[in-house]
Amino acid sequence: MQNNVNITNSTQEFRQDFAIISGWVKFGSKVLDLGCGDGALLQFLRSGLEVKGYGVEKDDANWLACMNNGVNVIQMDLEDGLSGFECQSFDTVILSQTLQAMHNTERIVLEMLRVGREVIVTFPNFGYWRNRIQILTGNMPVSKILPYQWFDTPNVHLCTINDFDQFCKNHKISVLERKVITDGNQIDFMPNFLGNLAIYRLKANYLKAN
Amino acid sequence: MSENNNTTGSVGIVAPQTAHFNTLLTLKSGAVLPELDLVYETYGTLNADKSNAVLICHALSGTHHVAGKYTENDKYPGWWDNLVGPNKPLDTNKFFVIGLNNLGGCHGSTGPVSINPETNQQWGSQFPIVTVEDWVKSQALLADYLGIEQLAAVIGGSLGGMQALQWTIAYPERVRHALVIASAPNLTAQNIAFNEVARQAIITDPEFHGGDYYAHNVLPRRGLRIARMLGHITYLSDDAMGAKFGRKLKGDIKYSFDAEFEMESYLRYQGDKFAGEFDANTYLRMTRALDYYDPALNFDGDLSAALNKVTAKFLVVSFTSDWRFSPARSREIVKALLDNERTVSYAEVTAAHGHDAFLMPDAHYHNILRAYLNSIEVGIHHAK
């Protein structure tokens, strides 16, 4: 089977971004989780926040896992965009640790902002100091959050927090909130150096945040 | 049937039944049927609170004989036997499954071959055009007859999927789940075109006699045969045909118009078989019902508005190589349900078999149906 776009390194354990994401999702709201894997995040959000959730997943095995987990799941390839979803039809659209594996990264972010009143994006920070050390010692970084070898990785668009900030600025995307964590601990000092995982809450700029 | 049997099995020997309705049925066209018979089969046991009934709607040429055999010696079981049975995806240990022959059919339910009680002649050309809406209305009569207030699920592929969808529109309170497989919210122009060629093949057969061929003791076999051959081509994908037949010849090239390619002899066989067992008037009406179905028509083409009153939960399934009912058409249904914030899951199955894939026992496809059907809650079943 092809490399799965959904990062599988942590599906069995409680994902460190789930807690922060759930803090940004409103009770009873309508949530779309793109690249939802086995539906663990939606299950988590539904049990705690009673969200009306839908997952999008292209992998057959993950689709079945979602169904068996009682999660509504739409099978489609995110690379094709979100044409099956109306503008501003979801309270929150989530892309959790999948951005770096997208080929058409720019398009999916803009599509999420079209469909969601708010967007949550999480990605591994390539600027994390351990990654930098591996580069300095002459190797592509391999870690728990980036578990693949250079030749078999699905991650084609890795970026740093600085890169993503610049991306948002260039695309006139409002960053409502940003949290950076390493091993579950929030990093406020030098996040692009000390942070392992970045979690953004975004909104299209033409619809200003209250 | 033995209890606690965990092996996948057949529903065994089955027998069709007939429900007679001594009531006027007004059809969508305005025509009125003075009475009707519906032939049906059931598999499994209706539970005490009657919450485990699943209706299977058939497609163009299907029948009430969904599963099992009539005698041990039958060559083939019912047409969806790979789906329905003990511990199969549609598990008859859990569900009470109903298959019926639709109104206008030619397998026992009231149709063109039936006797019109007002003339004591076979209906023939006088049998009205029936629609998907009419079928669902008559299926609801059958549910009443069986004492079933609410169906756990309605399931159908292709034209059967349209009936499942129509159930949720016409009787939202009477169906909890709809499984709409390899279907569409209406036919494309190309699909209507195929149906028209099939109908013209039948209607222009000299032995059609305007639909009253029974009175002439002949059958428009040639037309029906060509209609079926055309249909068969469109139900398969180019790849599937290539893989199955390719350019294989039956022998040396003879420079003739005989069936020299295996593809040709397959089509001829299928056409002959069908023309020997199906009624041309029924075929005309089934294809017309397909053409006419369009629940969005009265909503300015807005399917989301048409599905606004729907409350059932949905599983929508399509197949990648199905070009007659393409995945894009299924996604229209999914989008309309999402627009209404309904509970829906959608699977796009990678399959080579084209439209016919919905009848194939593909492992992943069956796992999808099994997972969804497992999630359906029913009351205490097999109550004694």
Side-chain angles (χ1 to χ4, degrees), chain B residues 36-83:
Chain B
L36 66 142
D37 284 340
L38 291 176
V39 175
Y40 67 98
E41 287 177 17
T42 68
Y43 321 101
T45 309
L46 187 61
N47 62 7
D49 61 359
K50 299 178 178 178
S51 63
N52 68 336
V54 175
L55 176 69
I56 294 184
C57 301
H58 68 69
L60 205 55
S61 59
T63 71
H64 52 282
H65 187 36
V66 176
K69 292 182 172 184
Y70 292 143
T71 72
E72 295 287 356
N73 301 325
D74 287 6
K75 195 173 172 192
Y76 299 108
W79 59 270
W80 219 352
D81 191 78
N82 63 40
L83 183 80

Side-chain angles (χ1 to χ4, degrees), chain B residues 13 53 65 103 262 282 298 319 349:
Chain B
I13 301 297
H65 187 36
L103 195 60
E262 290 199 359
T282 290
N298 292 333
F319 299 90
V349 180

